[in-house]
Amino acid sequence: DADTVLRELREKRLAQMKQAQAEKLENLGKGHGRYHEICQDDFLNDVLKSRHTLVHFYHRDFENCKVMHHHLEKLAPRHVECKMMKLDADKAPFFVQKLQVQVMPTVVIFKDGVATARLVGFDGLTEGLAPGKENEFRTDALESWLARAGCIEYEAT
């Protein structure tokens, strides 16, 4: 019967929507939805607490790190499925060495506490930009890269 099929389909979709909303609320409670600074002592706890996390290793005096901050500040509220954090590399020598961070900015993607991808500098974000204009990449270029890395849900339009 068509009514039964439609009712079952509606109930299934409603359950999916409720589950997604519950996950969103849980993530917001864990600090998702905002781009914030962490310290070395909080690193493991923050990375292990959420399924998808991103840590931007930065240096406070580097212009390219400020550019990355700008884009991540825009993306964090739009993508609560990934906890987005920044970590001053000068104040986190243990993790800089452990994760072999050698270039700033470096963004490391974690899934279930395991590093799965890394963005070094602006690699892959600047195609089509004139030389000297690499720091003018668009937010959606970073957003697409993060989606390909598996830490956010996004489809370019």
Side-chain angles (χ1 to χ4, degrees):
D1 177 55
D3 289 341
T4 304
V5 171
L6 285 174
R7 186 175 59 253
E8 289 172 356
L9 187 61
R10 183 179 183 277
E11 288 172 3
K12 182 179 178 182
R13 180 64 184 132
L14 191 58
Q16 289 172 336
M17 290 171 62
K18 285 181 180 179
Q19 165 98 21
Q21 182 64 18
E23 284 178 25
K24 181 178 179 177
L25 291 174
E26 180 182 347
N27 285 340
L28 289 171
K30 293 178 183 176
H32 293 232
R34 61 190 183 93
Y35 176 62
H36 63 281
E37 180 114 21
I38 60 170
C39 65
Q40 181 168 277
D41 293 344
D42 296 334
F43 182 89
L44 286 176
N45 187 45
D46 280 323
V47 167
L48 295 172
K49 194 187 307 183
S50 298
R51 180 166 172 77
H52 295 282
T53 56
L54 166 162
V55 179
H56 170 213
F57 288 86
Y58 76 96
H59 189 283
R60 68 186 167 281
D61 295 330
F62 290 10
E63 273 311 304
N64 286 348
C65 293
K66 293 174 185 172
V67 170
M68 187 62 73
H69 286 319
H70 168 77
H71 292 292
L72 291 172
E73 285 172 344
K74 284 183 174 180
L75 293 175
R78 287 192 265 184
H79 294 286
V80 297
E81 68 272 23
C82 179
K83 187 173 187 177
M84 299 187 190
M85 302 165 284
K86 59 184 174 181
L87 182 61
D88 186 336
D90 282 343
K91 297 179 180 177
F94 176 79
F95 290 107
V96 166
Q97 181 182 9
K98 192 76 172 163
L99 294 169
Q100 300 175 348
V101 175
Q102 299 173 348
V103 174
M104 303 293 160
T106 291
V107 175
V108 181
I109 308 301
F110 297 89
K111 182 175 181 183
D112 296 321
V114 177
T116 58
R118 71 177 51 226
L119 175 62
V120 178
F122 299 150
D123 287 352
L125 304 178
T126 62
E127 281 82 22
L129 295 177
K133 301 285 187 179
E134 291 85 0
N135 64 353
E136 296 179 17
F137 68 88
R138 296 171 40 109
T139 302
D140 63 346
L142 176 59
E143 202 167 18
S144 292
W145 188 93
L146 294 172
R148 286 190 306 275
C151 75
I152 64 169
E153 297 168 12
Y154 172 75
E155 288 186 34
T157 54

